[in-house]
Amino acid sequence: MAQEAENKDNDQYHYSRNLDNAVQYLSFALGKEEYGVDILRVQEIRSWEPVSRIPNVPCYEKGVVNLRGSIVPILDLRERFNLSKAEYTPLTVVVVLQTGDNNKTRIMGVVVDSVSDVISVDKTEIQSAPDFGTKVSNEFINGLVSVNERMVMLLDVDKLLKLEELDQDEG
Amino acid sequence: MSIDMSQFHQVFFEECFEGLEAMESGLLTLDMGDIDSEIINTIFRGAHSIKGGSGTFGFTVVAEYTHIMETLLDEMRDGRRKVTQPAVDVLLGSVDCLREMLTAIQNEQNVNNASVAKHKAALEVVLNGGSVAEESLFPVEQEFASEELSANDVPDIDEEESIESEEQGWKIAFCPYLDLLKTGNDPVRLFRELNELGELTTTVNIQDVPGFYELDPEECNISWDLKVVGDISGDEIKEIFNWVEGDCEMEIQPLAKAVKLPPVVKQIDPEPAAVIIPNNPAPKSVEVKPKPATETKKPDSQDADNEAAKTTAKASSIRVDTDKIDTLINMVGEVVITQSMLGLVGENFSMDKVGQLKRGLAQLERHTRDLQQSVMNIRMLPISFVFSRFPRLVHDISSKLDKKIVLKLVGENTEVDKAVVELINDPLVHLIRNSLDHGIEMPADRVAAGKPETGTIELKAYHRGGHIVIEIIDDGRGLDKDKLLAKAIEKGLIEENNLLTEKQIFELIFMPGFSTAEQLTDISGRGVGMDVVRRNIQSLGGNIEIISELGKGTTIAIHLPLTLAILDGQSVAVGDETYIVPLVSIIESINITERMLNKVAGKGETFRLRNEYLPVIRMRSIFNVHSGNPTKSKEGVLVVVEGQGELCCLLVDELLGQQQVVIKSLEANYRRVEGVSGATILGDGSVALILDVPGLVRFSIR
């Protein structure tokens, strides 16, 4: 708890220090790694529920669900990033993200272990991603930022959810 | 409050196009020998209401043009003029021209004045008693840009003041702000006062007037260039404009010095021109029409282009029979009653009311289904929306080819979904052109073959099952199987010693790059090929088949689903998963055990159904389903389906039930998946995939 409070203070500090450059990210955990996505891209956060499997697609495309009448695909980020699989529990979380390409918005859900926090990041503090040893392919990573000694990898939602790339992977 | 005239434009255009269609069909049915005055009346009425409407909306170009047509028609109606084929042809050309004008205005483009002038001239020649050669109507090449005039533009003022610089007087550029009229000022009154001072010449400048859609009649989008001649002092002029000082921008210059001196600018309002720029929709910038040359050169190709453009333009609204709406309202009433009845049951619910509840629910179910049906019905349009264009097409092309052809339309009132109506037009045009060009022989050949000189093309629509069938039947020369085979072998599309069934041979013409025509003409063999036709029809969820007999004729049958939004489906279980098979593609379902399947080396499995061996697709393996009880695959259900004219069997675990499903797109948020045409949401909220049977067959072959 204490740490969380400290977190908040820290965020506030960031926030007030440089309002213009502050960008908010939603951070979530995959195993021991922590990732962030631009909070403006997050439509909602849902709990995991069974999906309808789609035949003959890569395994990280878990399937589709009915989200208030529209059919929304669900991707498993652990599998996308080749991390070890985790069991789905009622606590498993699906983050529904919006991605826009060519004036058409798509909605997709990504399965993550848990959602951690909303962090304010000063744009100037974002480091570009080095070619580091995690299993995430560099192309999805916008940059790195350190929050409270923890490293958070900021993901590029558009690239992450781009279907052409999914199609390529398929082949 | 302002009245937005543009809201009526849509209706006006729709009525105009309807009127044009009525005129066109009237003109085509006119029999030279025996003139039916009722038909002429219909044509006249069409022209008259277009004239009236366009006058009201200020489309003077259209109104003037229609007026000439009307004069001609009026004389025909009164019997003062004989109805001749050339006159009818000119009138048909005029209908095209009108349609072009209206389309241009509707899209806020420029009217092609050159072509209008041509048609007008032709009309006048007929009016004056001459006859027109066909060529003059459709010149080979046209200069268009120079002569083009925006539909809502008028030539700008030119600088003529310098010539009269010797005269004494004032030149006033008067440019009122948009809200001048709202302040109660009337420019006309100002001009009248000016006129009292001296001789007033006004030049109106309306180039800033927005398009009809943006036009607000209470805004003053016009500016004037005024010239007052006479011995007047500048103060006198300023006095007149005193009242409007704050509401306009103006510039007053003495006439004599106009050339020599830099203009004495009098800007009354300190704010610069920013306010004065009306929302200019740039009527001038849309000047370039895509294909000026072909547009006037080929009346028939332009026809199709126009029509295609028209369908897209019309897509936004739909006319519904009031009967249908009444039914709908009735249904909604019933649903409300049932709902309140159920509400009553639920208020003090006890177990003895279960029967009542069940009855209520059953009623609700029935009403919901009826309601759904009535709503779907609203989207249904008679196929005559498509068919009505073809008499003209046949008329034009047959006269061009010197063939004698009658077109018979059967079942025009068959109703079909609006989306289907819009998308079926182009494939049909292509198929009819094919029939006209390749199917029907020249009159001499026909007589030689012992057939009547006049060929017949029958366009027929009817319902069969959940499908609408559209048939194009001609009594022409039919398809030559040997020639098709030879051609396919020559092009390397099939192996030489391949044995093909008759059906498969006919299917060859759907292969890309396959053309049976010995020579390409401008009627067919250009643009879309048969492969595109078939692809279009398949994308609508339909299929196309050919029956042909050499020397007797060809029948092309298109099967299309009635609607694209809802489908009758059979849900089947594969492992733990549920899939929907479109009911229309199911022939039958058979309970089988494993040993009833015959293994074929390398080619999978077959099932013998009444002396016919059908390929079997195991849904479990093709969709990689691993869940569920594996012992079940020892016995399962074979669903015999038809996809692309081929029968095949899908091996599933279980049949679950039939239901109507609402088709949802997978592609909206996801992408196309092979073997799946869409998805739907089941009663429990989960998603089930709808199988694409032809796609599945293709997929399994690979």
Side-chain angles (χ1 to χ4, degrees), chain A residues 52-58 61 64-66 68-73 75 104-108 163 166-167 170, chain B residues 577 579 621-625 664-671 673-674 676 679-681 685-689 699:
Chain A
S52 302
R53 200 183 62 94
I54 302 283
N56 303 320
V57 292
E61 293 177 26
V64 290
V65 294
N66 162 24
R68 292 183 293 277
S70 37
I71 311 284
V72 174
L75 312 183
K104 187 180 172 236
T105 35
R106 293 170 185 274
I107 300 168
M108 287 190 199
L163 282 164
L166 297 183
D167 289 343
E170 214 181 346
Chain B
E577 295 164 16
Y579 293 93
S621 58
I622 197 169
F623 276 180
N624 292 318
V625 181
K664 301 257 178 187
S665 159
L666 260 185
E667 278 136 87
N669 289 315
Y670 195 40
R671 59 154 167 229
V673 178
E674 209 136 12
V676 172
T680 190
I681 294 166
S686 66
V687 180
L689 301 181
F699 186 50

Side-chain angles (χ1 to χ4, degrees), chain A residues 34-105:
Chain A
E34 197 160 350
Y35 294 87
V37 286
D38 184 352
I39 201 151
L40 295 176
R41 298 305 195 94
V42 179
Q43 181 183 306
E44 60 186 285
I45 300 169
R46 300 164 59 83
S47 58
W48 162 262
E49 54 188 61
V51 298
S52 302
R53 200 183 62 94
I54 302 283
N56 303 320
V57 292
C59 62
Y60 55 80
E61 293 177 26
K62 299 317 284 181
V64 290
V65 294
N66 162 24
L67 184 68
R68 292 183 293 277
S70 37
I71 311 284
V72 174
I74 304 291
L75 312 183
D76 187 321
L77 277 196
R78 266 176 175 269
E79 290 182 59
R80 182 79 182 106
F81 296 160
N82 295 323
L83 302 170
S84 59
K85 271 193 198 176
E87 283 299 307
Y88 294 138
T89 66
L91 293 178
T92 308
V93 172
V94 174
V95 181
V96 182
L97 299 171
Q98 290 174 346
T99 165
D101 51 342
N102 302 336
N103 60 48
K104 187 180 172 236
T105 35

Side-chain angles (χ1 to χ4, degrees), chain B residues 176-188:
Chain B
Y177 293 152
L178 290 177
D179 52 2
L180 176 86
L181 301 176
K182 291 180 188 160
T183 59
N185 284 303
D186 187 351
V188 176

